[in-house]
Amino acid sequence: MLGLGSSLVTGGASSDWTPADLGSKLKAWYKYNTGISSATVSGNLQVTQWADQSGNDNHLEPTVTNNKDEMPRLLTDGLSSEALVFFNSNTDSLVFTSAVTLGKFAMYWKSNWKDTIASEVIFEGDTDNFVKLQGPTEMRLKAGGDVREDATIPEVTDDESTPHILGMERAANGSLLAYNNNVAQDSWASSGDKDGRSPIANALEITQMGDAQNPVYYYEVVICDDVLSTAERNLLYTWLQNQG
């Protein structure tokens, strides 16, 4: 499995590069401080839409627009120069205009946890489709009813002073990679059928993002329907580092 347990060099990134340069593999892109609409609901500024910048018009919206308990908030984390999409509880979520169905994929997001990390859903569809942080050192994938795969990743801190750039990829042969700040996972759980592979025939179908167990700020999200080359991964990591 390429890059296992190693840090990837990010030097040489072009200042002109954006996720749009990922081309046809870019499925959805929710950009920092861009395309975020909001409204005042019960005295708080709540997110009503996070517009997709990929050109595919697969926007993110809450299930309702008149209940602050089901809408993420627009709020600063004290580090970013701009307000961020803030999921405060497991009733907050943003739903894709159309379900995202992925065989091969690369999914990256920059986020900042405010509290304990425990069973944190990142993306989900039904109970057979999700990407989540089970804890500060474990990322999980369940796709299309296949066996759940568990990766041990470098620790994600929850002190609200360090945003993390997290990601997961699945190649054509089903091989999985999980990242924290461009460092690959140390290992995949190996018991029973768990082997760090998930056949792409078991498509990952996700319908929403968020649904946090504990408060978390999101800076940016990029979803692709293919894996990234090492160069693309480095460029994306550098881009996300600079957002906020």
Side-chain angles (χ1 to χ4, degrees):
M1 196 172 294
L2 295 176
L4 196 63
S6 62
S7 177
L8 299 175
V9 177
T10 60
S14 167
S15 60
D16 296 329
W17 191 92
T18 78
D21 292 306
L22 293 169
S24 60
K25 66 177 65 174
L26 183 61
K27 188 85 169 178
W29 174 22
Y30 307 100
K31 186 179 178 183
Y32 168 75
N33 195 38
T34 302
I36 303 174
S37 303
S38 61
T40 300
V41 179
S42 301
N44 292 330
L45 199 58
Q46 308 289 151
V47 175
T48 57
Q49 186 183 78
W50 198 354
D52 178 15
Q53 304 301 310
S54 72
N56 294 317
D57 294 327
N58 199 353
H59 310 307
L60 286 167
E61 297 180 347
T63 54
V64 298
T65 57
N66 60 355
N67 185 341
K68 69 179 182 63
D69 293 328
E70 296 188 33
M71 304 168 69
R73 193 172 173 186
L74 197 59
L75 191 68
T76 181
D77 67 348
L79 302 176
S80 167
S81 59
E82 303 292 341
L84 305 169
V85 177
F86 177 63
F87 295 92
N88 189 48
S89 72
N90 64 3
T91 58
D92 292 354
S93 62
L94 289 174
V95 177
F96 297 101
T97 302
S98 301
V100 178
T101 303
L102 301 164
K104 296 178 292 181
F105 64 76
M107 312 167 78
Y108 286 86
W109 60 97
K110 183 176 182 178
S111 53
N112 186 4
W113 265 267
K114 185 178 178 180
D115 209 336
T116 304
I117 298 170
S119 194
E120 308 296 334
V121 172
I122 312 300
F123 307 102
E124 66 180 334
D126 57 20
T127 55
D128 284 329
N129 291 273
F130 59 75
V131 175
K132 68 192 298 187
L133 279 180
Q134 184 62 20
T137 61
E138 184 177 334
M139 191 182 300
R140 291 182 173 182
L141 168 73
K142 191 169 179 62
D146 190 26
V147 64
R148 192 191 74 224
E149 297 291 341
D150 307 341
T152 301
I153 60 171
E155 184 175 6
V156 180
T157 57
D158 58 8
D159 58 7
E160 202 177 343
S161 65
T162 308
H164 289 264
I165 297 167
L166 298 162
M168 182 175 282
E169 300 192 27
R170 178 168 68 174
N173 65 359
S175 180
L176 296 168
L177 286 169
Y179 289 92
N180 179 11
N181 291 334
N182 219 17
V183 179
Q185 79 286 337
D186 294 322
S187 63
W188 291 88
S190 56
S191 61
D193 294 330
K194 294 179 184 292
D195 58 2
R197 292 180 179 272
S198 174
I200 63 171
N202 294 307
L204 175 67
E205 184 169 296
I206 53 175
T207 57
Q208 68 179 32
M209 183 180 84
D211 195 11
Q213 292 294 320
N214 295 288
V216 59
Y217 302 89
Y218 276 73
Y219 286 65
E220 187 156 342
V221 179
V222 175
I223 301 173
C224 297
D225 61 3
D226 202 349
V227 295
L228 305 186
S229 68
T230 299
E232 288 171 331
R233 193 178 302 114
N234 291 341
L235 286 163
L236 178 58
Y237 177 65
T238 300
W239 167 268
L240 292 171
Q241 279 184 308
N242 292 330
Q243 303 310 295

